[in-house]
PDB file of all heavy atoms in Angstrom:
ATOM      1  N   TRP B 473       7.807  15.681  23.642  1.00  0.00           N
ATOM      2  CA  TRP B 473       8.963  16.313  24.009  1.00  0.00           C
ATOM      3  C   TRP B 473      10.214  15.566  23.824  1.00  0.00           C
ATOM      4  O   TRP B 473      10.125  14.406  24.334  1.00  0.00           O
ATOM      5  CB  TRP B 473       8.711  16.729  25.544  1.00  0.00           C
ATOM      6  CG  TRP B 473      10.015  17.328  26.201  1.00  0.00           C
ATOM      7  CD1 TRP B 473      10.522  18.585  25.957  1.00  0.00           C
ATOM      8  CD2 TRP B 473      10.905  16.760  27.106  1.00  0.00           C
ATOM      9  NE1 TRP B 473      11.527  18.726  26.717  1.00  0.00           N
ATOM     10  CE2 TRP B 473      11.834  17.552  27.415  1.00  0.00           C
ATOM     11  CE3 TRP B 473      10.886  15.432  27.663  1.00  0.00           C
ATOM     12  CZ2 TRP B 473      12.945  17.305  28.180  1.00  0.00           C
ATOM     13  CZ3 TRP B 473      12.024  15.072  28.496  1.00  0.00           C
ATOM     14  CH2 TRP B 473      12.971  16.101  28.736  1.00  0.00           C
ATOM     15  N   MET B 474      11.121  16.097  23.294  1.00  0.00           N
ATOM     16  CA  MET B 474      12.372  15.422  23.061  1.00  0.00           C
ATOM     17  C   MET B 474      13.512  15.978  23.912  1.00  0.00           C
ATOM     18  O   MET B 474      13.919  17.045  23.751  1.00  0.00           O
ATOM     19  CB  MET B 474      12.752  15.502  21.521  1.00  0.00           C
ATOM     20  CG  MET B 474      13.540  14.440  21.023  1.00  0.00           C
ATOM     21  SD  MET B 474      13.751  14.779  19.212  1.00  0.00           S
ATOM     22  CE  MET B 474      14.916  13.576  18.852  1.00  0.00           C
ATOM     23  N   PRO B 475      14.120  15.097  24.708  1.00  0.00           N
ATOM     24  CA  PRO B 475      15.232  15.590  25.509  1.00  0.00           C
ATOM     25  C   PRO B 475      16.356  16.189  24.718  1.00  0.00           C
ATOM     26  O   PRO B 475      16.649  15.678  23.594  1.00  0.00           O
ATOM     27  CB  PRO B 475      15.694  14.361  26.338  1.00  0.00           C
ATOM     28  CG  PRO B 475      14.589  13.392  26.186  1.00  0.00           C
ATOM     29  CD  PRO B 475      13.877  13.664  24.868  1.00  0.00           C
ATOM     30  N   GLU B 476      17.047  17.177  25.227  1.00  0.00           N
ATOM     31  CA  GLU B 476      18.069  17.904  24.579  1.00  0.00           C
ATOM     32  C   GLU B 476      19.240  16.883  24.235  1.00  0.00           C
ATOM     33  O   GLU B 476      19.722  16.964  23.077  1.00  0.00           O
ATOM     34  CB  GLU B 476      18.605  19.054  25.393  1.00  0.00           C
ATOM     35  CG  GLU B 476      19.383  20.106  24.684  1.00  0.00           C
ATOM     36  CD  GLU B 476      18.454  20.597  23.425  1.00  0.00           C
ATOM     37  OE1 GLU B 476      17.352  20.781  23.491  1.00  0.00           O
ATOM     38  OE2 GLU B 476      19.231  20.794  22.369  1.00  0.00           O
ATOM     39  N   CYS B 477      19.653  16.033  25.201  1.00  0.00           N
ATOM     40  CA  CYS B 477      20.890  15.161  24.958  1.00  0.00           C
ATOM     41  C   CYS B 477      20.545  14.185  23.824  1.00  0.00           C
ATOM     42  O   CYS B 477      21.313  13.899  23.008  1.00  0.00           O
ATOM     43  CB  CYS B 477      21.284  14.452  26.196  1.00  0.00           C
ATOM     44  SG  CYS B 477      20.041  13.316  26.848  1.00  0.00           S
ATOM     45  N   TYR B 478      19.231  13.722  23.696  1.00  0.00           N
ATOM     46  CA  TYR B 478      18.825  12.864  22.622  1.00  0.00           C
ATOM     47  C   TYR B 478      18.913  13.510  21.309  1.00  0.00           C
ATOM     48  O   TYR B 478      19.462  13.012  20.380  1.00  0.00           O
ATOM     49  CB  TYR B 478      17.311  12.370  22.921  1.00  0.00           C
ATOM     50  CG  TYR B 478      16.780  11.365  22.035  1.00  0.00           C
ATOM     51  CD1 TYR B 478      17.553  10.519  21.271  1.00  0.00           C
ATOM     52  CD2 TYR B 478      15.394  11.272  21.894  1.00  0.00           C
ATOM     53  CE1 TYR B 478      17.018   9.514  20.584  1.00  0.00           C
ATOM     54  CE2 TYR B 478      14.824  10.369  21.020  1.00  0.00           C
ATOM     55  CZ  TYR B 478      15.630   9.399  20.262  1.00  0.00           C
ATOM     56  OH  TYR B 478      15.091   8.514  19.528  1.00  0.00           O
ATOM     57  N   ARG B 479      18.383  14.804  21.247  1.00  0.00           N
ATOM     58  CA  ARG B 479      18.403  15.486  20.071  1.00  0.00           C
ATOM     59  C   ARG B 479      19.820  15.781  19.524  1.00  0.00           C
ATOM     60  O   ARG B 479      20.177  15.595  18.379  1.00  0.00           O
ATOM     61  CB  ARG B 479      17.747  16.980  20.296  1.00  0.00           C
ATOM     62  CG  ARG B 479      17.483  17.700  19.008  1.00  0.00           C
ATOM     63  CD  ARG B 479      17.119  19.117  19.325  1.00  0.00           C
ATOM     64  NE  ARG B 479      15.699  19.063  20.183  1.00  0.00           N
ATOM     65  CZ  ARG B 479      14.630  19.005  19.586  1.00  0.00           C
ATOM     66  NH1 ARG B 479      14.579  19.057  18.241  1.00  0.00           N
ATOM     67  NH2 ARG B 479      13.513  19.049  20.327  1.00  0.00           N
ATOM     68  N   ASN B 480      20.709  16.063  20.426  1.00  0.00           N
ATOM     69  CA  ASN B 480      22.219  16.220  20.117  1.00  0.00           C
ATOM     70  C   ASN B 480      22.761  14.977  19.579  1.00  0.00           C
ATOM     71  O   ASN B 480      23.360  15.017  18.611  1.00  0.00           O
ATOM     72  CB  ASN B 480      22.944  16.579  21.418  1.00  0.00           C
ATOM     73  CG  ASN B 480      22.871  18.119  21.685  1.00  0.00           C
ATOM     74  OD1 ASN B 480      22.453  18.907  20.788  1.00  0.00           O
ATOM     75  ND2 ASN B 480      23.010  18.410  22.983  1.00  0.00           N
ATOM     76  N   LEU B 481      22.476  13.818  20.258  1.00  0.00           N
ATOM     77  CA  LEU B 481      23.052  12.573  19.795  1.00  0.00           C
ATOM     78  C   LEU B 481      22.565  12.311  18.368  1.00  0.00           C
ATOM     79  O   LEU B 481      23.314  11.817  17.469  1.00  0.00           O
ATOM     80  CB  LEU B 481      22.557  11.506  20.735  1.00  0.00           C
ATOM     81  CG  LEU B 481      23.088  10.019  20.413  1.00  0.00           C
ATOM     82  CD1 LEU B 481      24.538   9.958  20.772  1.00  0.00           C
ATOM     83  CD2 LEU B 481      22.405   8.918  21.214  1.00  0.00           C
ATOM     84  N   LEU B 482      21.247  12.586  18.096  1.00  0.00           N
ATOM     85  CA  LEU B 482      20.717  12.196  16.778  1.00  0.00           C
ATOM     86  C   LEU B 482      21.417  13.204  15.683  1.00  0.00           C
ATOM     87  O   LEU B 482      21.771  12.602  14.636  1.00  0.00           O
ATOM     88  CB  LEU B 482      19.218  12.499  16.797  1.00  0.00           C
ATOM     89  CG  LEU B 482      18.393  11.259  17.321  1.00  0.00           C
ATOM     90  CD1 LEU B 482      16.936  11.653  17.200  1.00  0.00           C
ATOM     91  CD2 LEU B 482      18.825  10.088  16.736  1.00  0.00           C
ATOM     92  N   TRP B 483      21.550  14.399  16.035  1.00  0.00           N
ATOM     93  CA  TRP B 483      22.263  15.231  14.994  1.00  0.00           C
ATOM     94  C   TRP B 483      23.589  14.839  14.723  1.00  0.00           C
ATOM     95  O   TRP B 483      24.034  14.904  13.535  1.00  0.00           O
ATOM     96  CB  TRP B 483      22.143  16.752  15.537  1.00  0.00           C
ATOM     97  CG  TRP B 483      20.918  17.355  15.126  1.00  0.00           C
ATOM     98  CD1 TRP B 483      19.927  17.988  16.026  1.00  0.00           C
ATOM     99  CD2 TRP B 483      20.376  17.706  13.808  1.00  0.00           C
ATOM    100  NE1 TRP B 483      18.908  18.459  15.406  1.00  0.00           N
ATOM    101  CE2 TRP B 483      19.136  18.427  14.026  1.00  0.00           C
ATOM    102  CE3 TRP B 483      20.840  17.455  12.491  1.00  0.00           C
ATOM    103  CZ2 TRP B 483      18.384  18.768  12.901  1.00  0.00           C
ATOM    104  CZ3 TRP B 483      20.078  17.860  11.492  1.00  0.00           C
ATOM    105  CH2 TRP B 483      18.797  18.448  11.589  1.00  0.00           C
ATOM    106  N   ARG B 484      24.383  14.408  15.843  1.00  0.00           N
ATOM    107  CA  ARG B 484      25.682  14.030  15.637  1.00  0.00           C
ATOM    108  C   ARG B 484      25.789  12.774  14.753  1.00  0.00           C
ATOM    109  O   ARG B 484      26.504  12.619  13.820  1.00  0.00           O
ATOM    110  CB  ARG B 484      26.385  13.693  16.903  1.00  0.00           C
ATOM    111  CG  ARG B 484      26.889  14.862  17.643  1.00  0.00           C
ATOM    112  CD  ARG B 484      27.248  14.678  19.154  1.00  0.00           C
ATOM    113  NE  ARG B 484      28.194  13.670  19.301  1.00  0.00           N
ATOM    114  CZ  ARG B 484      28.303  13.025  20.461  1.00  0.00           C
ATOM    115  NH1 ARG B 484      27.460  13.225  21.430  1.00  0.00           N
ATOM    116  NH2 ARG B 484      29.295  12.021  20.585  1.00  0.00           N
ATOM    117  N   ALA B 485      24.748  11.760  15.174  1.00  0.00           N
ATOM    118  CA  ALA B 485      24.683  10.578  14.247  1.00  0.00           C
ATOM    119  C   ALA B 485      24.375  10.839  12.803  1.00  0.00           C
ATOM    120  O   ALA B 485      24.968  10.269  11.963  1.00  0.00           O
ATOM    121  CB  ALA B 485      23.732   9.596  14.798  1.00  0.00           C
ATOM    122  N   ALA B 486      23.443  11.793  12.632  1.00  0.00           N
ATOM    123  CA  ALA B 486      22.956  12.119  11.270  1.00  0.00           C
ATOM    124  C   ALA B 486      24.174  12.646  10.421  1.00  0.00           C
ATOM    125  O   ALA B 486      24.335  12.319   9.213  1.00  0.00           O
ATOM    126  CB  ALA B 486      21.860  13.107  11.278  1.00  0.00           C
ATOM    127  N   ALA B 487      24.995  13.529  11.113  1.00  0.00           N
ATOM    128  CA  ALA B 487      26.075  14.118  10.526  1.00  0.00           C
ATOM    129  C   ALA B 487      27.048  13.012  10.055  1.00  0.00           C
ATOM    130  O   ALA B 487      27.634  13.097   8.879  1.00  0.00           O
ATOM    131  CB  ALA B 487      26.866  15.081  11.319  1.00  0.00           C
ATOM    132  N   ILE B 488      27.307  11.959  10.848  1.00  0.00           N
ATOM    133  CA  ILE B 488      28.191  10.968  10.529  1.00  0.00           C
ATOM    134  C   ILE B 488      27.625  10.195   9.288  1.00  0.00           C
ATOM    135  O   ILE B 488      28.379   9.917   8.414  1.00  0.00           O
ATOM    136  CB  ILE B 488      28.357   9.980  11.742  1.00  0.00           C
ATOM    137  CG1 ILE B 488      29.171  10.667  12.829  1.00  0.00           C
ATOM    138  CG2 ILE B 488      29.111   8.698  11.305  1.00  0.00           C
ATOM    139  CD1 ILE B 488      29.022   9.880  14.204  1.00  0.00           C
TER     140      ILE B 488
END
Side-chain angles (χ1 to χ4, degrees):
Chain B
W473 174 73
M474 204 174 175
E476 201 51 41
C477 63
Y478 184 28
R479 190 187 300 274
N480 280 337
L481 183 74
L482 283 184
W483 274 116
R484 280 162 62 200
I488 293 168

